[in-house]
């Protein structure tokens, strides 16, 4: 959850990586509640991987969104300690998603294939990661 989502004009977000949300990546480890203040984000790949995302700002919908598979981020926690990590999988995706909120970007603005967008109930019949038309993701 990013501060702008609750009408707070701050550059901070709170996130976690639950074990059940991890992707098939040995580096995508669970992480408890984490606060990141004034985050800086570096994408570590020009590649993009499409996977499902939803958002509390747009309830009931989800879409296939391309994101960098690996990132490096840095910020400060609530106690003023520097937080610096490299992340992949779901961890990298959630940090990119929340960082976007700080810049006024919603996941729908990152979409490249609008066929991979719909109501959760309608999309439940699909399984696995979405695939963009015209090639592998």
């Amino acid at each position: 959850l990013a501060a702008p989502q609750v009408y707070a004009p701050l550059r901070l977000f709170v996130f976690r990586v639950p074990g059940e949300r991890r992707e098939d990546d040995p580096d995508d480890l669970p992480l408890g509640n984490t606060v990141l203040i004034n985050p800086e984000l570096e994408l570590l790949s020009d590649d993009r991987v499409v996977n499902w995302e939803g958002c509390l700002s747009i309830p009931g919908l989800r879409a296939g969104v391309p994101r960098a598979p690996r990132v490096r981020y840095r910020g400060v926690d609530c106690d003023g300690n520097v937080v610096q990590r490299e992340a992949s999988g779901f961890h990298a995706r959630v940090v990119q998603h929340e960082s976007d909120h700080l810049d006024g970007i919603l996941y729908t603005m990152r979409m490249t294939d609008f066929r991979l967008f719909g109501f959760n109930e309608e999309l439940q019949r699909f399984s696995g990661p979405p695939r963009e038309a015209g090639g592998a993701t």
Side-chain angles (χ1 to χ4, degrees), residues 12-15 32-37 75-78 81 83 85:
L12 73 87
F13 57 81
V14 179
F15 72 98
N33 293 341
T34 303
V35 174
L36 201 58
I37 302 168
V76 177
D77 69 13
C78 289
N81 300 311
V83 175
R85 293 187 183 104

Side-chain angles (χ1 to χ4, degrees), residues 33-54:
N33 293 341
T34 303
V35 174
L36 201 58
I37 302 168
N38 292 326
E40 300 170 10
L41 181 67
E42 178 186 358
L43 307 181
L44 298 179
S45 173
D46 290 332
D47 294 336
R48 297 295 177 265
V49 175
V50 176
N51 213 329
W52 295 112
E53 288 188 27

Side-chain angles (χ1 to χ4, degrees), residues 104 116 123:
L116 301 175
L123 294 171

Side-chain angles (χ1 to χ4, degrees), residues 2 12-13 15 62 74 79 92 119-120:
L12 73 87
F13 57 81
F15 72 98
R62 67 179 167 153
R74 177 184 166 95
D79 296 319
F119 291 100
N120 290 332

